[in-house]
Amino acid sequence: MTIKSFSLGAAEEVTGSKHILQLDDRYIMIDCGAFQGKRKESDEKNRNFDFDVDDLDAVILTHGHFDHCGLLPVLAKRGYEGNIYATPATRDIANLVLMDSARIQARDAEFLAKQAAKKGEKFKWKPLYSEEDCVAVANQIVGISYNRKMPVAPGVQLEFFDAGHILGSAFASVTVNPDRKNPEKETRILYTGDIGRKCKPIIRNPALDMPAPDYIFMETTYGNKLHQDHDIAMKELIRVVRESCQRKGKIIIPSFAIERAQELVYYLHRLIEQKKIPHVPIYVDSPMAVNATSVFRVHPECYDESVNEAFLKHHKNPFGFGDLTYTTSIEESKALNKKEGPMIIITADGMCEAGRVLYHLANDISNPRNTVMIVGYMAENTLGRKIRDGAEEVMILGDKYQVKAKVELMNAFSAHADYGEMTEWLKGIDTSRLKKIFLVHGEKDAQEFFQNHLHENGFPNVEIVKAEERYTL
């Protein structure tokens, strides 16, 4: 059997993860993510996604972030009727993410059609998929628990291991062996999806106990960055909240609705309990974050020991307390713009490209009493990246705004491992069979830095994956 691999996304870029394992003339797809970045460019790339599903045996989903699952409904609309394998928590998270995307696209289409009508222009743009498409593809997702082997195609076995990135995230260990009677002929390929970090709250550390792989397809989002130390980050968070309260300002935190929002709530809860920050109104202004928090509550199998202890044995809710309000309606969200600070607003989208965060930024970014706190990765060409990089003026919803609010960067809250943590993880797993590491899901400069770093740390055979180039395993 000839084994090859190629990538249709996240090759020398961060979003749009789609990696193909080719076994002779059959295919297995690992992740089917959407591209994110400049709206027009991303929309074109997502619409140009075209893959012959006739020879596709299976789809493996590492986790439920949009850049890993966002085009699953498109794949199904193109005729794919087979199984999509994911952990049970990933299945539930992906359902939320896809339904949210469908609703946003429908609202965008309605808004843009009205704008075009006012200008007397023709309007042809249509959503990539509908809520009905999301319901249909949800029925194709098969839940597989961690550490359970499952045949997914002839001669191919899958086993998930906890990636410690978000709820349900997994390393996908794929074993290819057309001759099951002869284990020596098997090829083991490990797809990391996104690698999480040790000692994060709520979820467990990234697993180290997977079978020794022959090949690793490894993410590199922070391939040239080191995160802040956790203790320093907590001191910084305390400082920012205290200073903002003194100014009676608002703290706007663009946040991914899954994991980051719950983690921030968890930390703020603890700091208020410990009396390290004052009581301050905290709003989670994201319907998807509210729904995701409900998903967290029904998947305690993904919790780390400390949260299990508090949540399951002592019934302390880590996602709810007196200062916290979850808002769902548009009216509740709009009302926050009229309220005076101090307050903290945690709101989606994490890269400031869509959703309620745009309206909060438009309302608050030009007020020097306010703060925009950047707590995660911002892809190239996104509004969040421009704010993070110190732009003095930004375009929001078609209008220009002066950036007068303070901008605070806190990368310690990232759910992605940095290059030091990724190297430590690599050294902690069994690499006795390792032939090559393929680098995906990272910007080119980050990947080149990480490639050299791995060479210096005893991993000589490391290659940066280029889009659609085929690699023989």
Side-chain angles (χ1 to χ4, degrees):
M1 179 183 285
T2 302
I3 306 174
K4 294 184 178 182
S5 181
F6 58 97
S7 295
L8 301 175
E12 296 184 304
E13 60 188 341
V14 171
T15 64
S17 283
K18 288 180 285 292
H19 310 295
I20 311 297
L21 185 61
Q22 180 180 352
L23 311 171
D24 290 336
D25 58 353
R26 307 297 299 174
Y27 300 93
I28 294 172
M29 180 179 286
I30 295 85
D31 289 336
C32 189
F35 291 99
Q36 295 170 285
K38 275 188 177 177
R39 276 200 169 202
K40 185 177 179 182
E41 182 182 316
S42 298
D43 187 61
E44 286 176 0
K45 290 173 82 169
N46 289 328
R47 288 179 187 280
N48 290 335
F49 169 52
D50 188 18
F51 185 77
D52 187 357
V53 300
D54 292 341
D55 299 322
L56 186 60
D57 281 341
V59 176
I60 297 168
L61 182 59
T62 62
H63 66 287
H65 272 153
F66 188 62
D67 62 328
H68 289 259
C69 74
L71 292 187
L72 284 174
V74 175
L75 193 71
K77 286 178 72 175
R78 298 269 163 85
Y80 178 67
E81 298 178 345
N83 289 337
I84 300 164
Y85 296 96
T87 65
T90 290
R91 176 193 59 211
D92 293 346
I93 291 292
N95 287 344
L96 282 179
V97 168
L98 294 174
M99 289 292 281
D100 188 67
S101 172
R103 291 181 189 121
I104 288 172
Q105 290 178 62
R107 286 198 299 269
D108 283 352
E110 186 179 349
F111 174 77
L112 293 170
K114 288 178 180 177
Q115 294 294 100
K118 287 179 183 178
K119 297 175 183 177
E121 299 172 351
K122 288 185 178 180
F123 181 73
K124 297 180 180 179
W125 188 90
K126 291 182 179 180
L128 278 167
Y129 47 82
S130 66
E131 291 182 46
E132 289 77 13
D133 297 322
C134 296
V135 171
V137 80
N139 290 325
Q140 294 174 241
I141 302 178
V142 177
I144 305 176
S145 299
Y146 293 122
N147 309 109
R148 181 184 174 192
K149 295 177 181 176
M150 175 70 71
V152 296
V156 182
Q157 194 173 63
L158 167 68
E159 187 172 3
F160 285 133
F161 295 85
D162 199 331
H165 174 60
I166 66 168
L167 192 81
S169 61
F171 300 133
S173 177
V174 179
T175 301
V176 180
N177 188 1
D179 183 7
R180 297 184 68 180
K181 295 179 181 178
N182 191 350
E184 292 180 4
K185 289 188 176 181
E186 71 183 23
T187 301
R188 301 175 192 165
I189 307 149
L190 184 67
Y191 292 88
T192 68
D194 289 344
I195 303 173
R197 307 177 63 198
K198 289 171 65 177
C199 303
K200 296 284 280 180
I202 306 172
I203 59 174
R204 293 186 293 264
N205 291 343
L208 300 171
D209 60 343
M210 63 284 297
D214 297 297
Y215 301 94
I216 301 176
F217 285 80
M218 189 170 182
E219 73 117 326
T220 51
T221 309
Y222 284 93
N224 60 349
K225 298 281 194 309
L226 292 174
H227 297 317
Q228 285 174 311
D229 177 84
H230 175 267
D231 291 339
I232 293 173
M234 286 299 102
K235 289 177 182 176
E236 283 291 285
L237 181 58
I238 292 166
R239 175 188 63 79
V240 171
V241 173
R242 284 178 175 174
E243 288 179 358
S244 182
C245 287
Q246 287 173 357
R247 293 195 305 269
K248 299 191 182 308
K250 297 179 181 180
I251 302 176
I252 310 298
I253 308 180
S255 170
F256 292 109
I258 299 156
E259 199 69 44
R260 199 71 43 77
Q262 292 78 21
E263 184 182 341
L264 286 164
V265 165
Y266 178 85
Y267 280 133
L268 291 166
H269 188 177
R270 289 188 62 187
L271 292 175
I272 289 172
E273 276 190 332
Q274 295 164 2
K275 299 182 179 179
K276 293 182 177 178
I277 59 174
H279 286 273
V280 56
I282 300 167
Y283 298 91
V284 176
D285 186 31
S286 164
M288 188 163 73
V290 175
N291 292 332
T293 302
S294 299
V295 172
F296 270 68
R297 292 191 180 108
V298 297
H299 284 288
E301 77 275 8
C302 299
Y303 293 170
D304 70 12
E305 196 171 323
S306 62
V307 176
N308 253 318
E309 179 78 18
F311 192 32
L312 299 182
K313 294 185 180 178
H314 301 295
H315 307 291
K316 292 181 180 177
N317 182 1
F319 311 121
F321 55 103
D323 296 288
L324 179 67
T325 303
Y326 287 95
T327 64
T328 54
S329 72
I330 293 172
E331 290 72 24
E332 288 175 311
S333 180
K334 286 180 178 178
L336 295 180
N337 290 329
K338 298 176 182 177
K339 288 187 177 182
E340 292 294 321
M343 71 174 66
I344 299 171
I345 302 173
I346 302 168
T347 184
D349 157 285
M351 297 190 194
C352 307
E353 281 297 293
R356 296 182 180 183
V357 68
L358 294 175
Y359 298 93
H360 292 302
L361 288 173
N363 188 71
D364 298 315
I365 201 166
S366 297
N367 186 338
R369 288 190 303 165
N370 297 333
T371 301
V372 179
M373 187 187 297
I374 305 294
V375 295
Y377 180 78
M378 299 290 179
E380 284 186 306
N381 301 314
T382 60
L383 173 60
R385 182 69 163 259
K386 291 170 186 172
I387 295 170
R388 191 207 77 172
D389 289 348
E392 295 181 359
E393 185 179 80
V394 291
M395 185 77 74
I396 305 173
L397 298 168
D399 294 316
K400 290 181 179 178
Y401 293 86
Q402 296 294 313
V403 181
K404 295 182 180 178
K406 290 192 71 174
V407 178
E408 299 278 359
L409 311 182
M410 294 200 180
N411 61 23
F413 295 108
S414 173
H416 291 265
D418 62 27
Y419 74 81
E421 292 164 331
M422 287 191 289
T423 306
E424 181 185 353
W425 173 79
L426 264 178
K427 290 181 176 180
I429 68 172
D430 185 349
T431 55
S432 59
R433 293 172 54 125
L434 189 60
K435 297 180 176 67
K436 185 178 262 192
I437 298 172
F438 292 96
L439 302 184
V440 295
H441 202 284
E443 294 175 11
K444 191 175 179 181
D445 56 346
Q447 293 185 321
E448 289 173 350
F449 180 96
F450 192 50
Q451 182 183 43
N452 291 330
H453 178 74
L454 290 179
H455 289 163
E456 293 167 0
N457 280 270
F459 298 95
N461 206 350
V462 182
E463 185 158 359
I464 297 170
V465 171
K466 298 187 181 301
E468 300 191 36
E469 188 167 317
R470 279 167 168 74
Y471 300 89
T472 300
L473 309 187

